[in-house]
Amino acid sequence: MRARLYFRTGVPFENGRWFETFEITAGPEVVDLRDGITLHQMAHDHSHEGEGGGEGAGEHVDEPAGEAGSGTDPHIWVSPELLKTQAHTIADALSGADPGNRDEYHRRLEELVTELEALQTWIHGRLDEYRDRAFYV
């Protein structure tokens, strides 16, 4: 594999055979997009590709080490707020790997953050009336 960086979120397939086959673990720097994010316990059983889920009551997990299927919610990409944290992690990693374009990465990061904040405001406008009610995604 010729990539210098590999961005992971902690879903089960990131630890599958293909991961070993392509020698991703020996190649690029692995950047964990869960860094800086408090993972939440799943409220109900949840699984991906035959992995077991966990029980919880909305408790928080402070370390990002849990893999999907361990009881922590892996869906960190569905929250604009969490996406902002991930975007900062990505911009920092890209800046480290390609310092000549650091200013461009951070300029675009600020544009993305502005868009994500607008999205978060829009979502709240649509969903706040349903706060504390269950819904299916």
Side-chain angles (χ1 to χ4, degrees), residues 1 6 12-24:
M1 171 139 305
Y6 176 77
F13 72 81
E14 292 174 330
N15 297 319
R17 268 186 223 172
W18 77 270
F19 195 85
E20 296 163 7
T21 302
F22 291 108
E23 299 177 12
I24 291 175

Side-chain angles (χ1 to χ4, degrees), residues 74-123:
H75 304 100
I76 61 174
W77 55 87
V78 299
S79 161
E81 198 61 38
L82 297 181
L83 283 172
K84 287 191 323 188
T85 300
Q86 293 171 74
H88 278 89
T89 300
I90 291 167
D92 289 344
L94 291 172
S95 294
D98 182 21
N101 287 307
R102 180 188 185 287
D103 292 342
E104 181 68 10
Y105 295 128
H106 285 277
R107 182 186 67 75
R108 290 184 177 218
L109 169 64
E110 292 311 313
E111 290 175 3
L112 178 60
V113 166
T114 299
E115 289 181 36
L116 290 171
E117 288 170 350
L119 177 60
Q120 184 72 13
T121 299
W122 182 86
I123 290 170

Side-chain angles (χ1 to χ4, degrees), residues 10-100:
V11 292
F13 72 81
E14 292 174 330
N15 297 319
R17 268 186 223 172
W18 77 270
F19 195 85
E20 296 163 7
T21 302
F22 291 108
E23 299 177 12
I24 291 175
T25 56
E29 174 187 348
V30 177
V31 178
D32 196 325
L33 295 179
R34 297 169 294 175
D35 288 350
I37 292 177
T38 299
L39 298 177
H40 295 31
Q41 285 297 110
M42 295 292 289
H44 302 285
D45 282 341
H46 180 83
S47 64
H48 283 269
E49 300 176 27
E51 296 289 328
E55 287 292 325
E59 306 135 33
H60 293 97
V61 175
D62 290 325
E63 65 277 344
E67 297 297 318
S70 69
T72 58
D73 185 356
H75 304 100
I76 61 174
W77 55 87
V78 299
S79 161
E81 198 61 38
L82 297 181
L83 283 172
K84 287 191 323 188
T85 300
Q86 293 171 74
H88 278 89
T89 300
I90 291 167
D92 289 344
L94 291 172
S95 294
D98 182 21

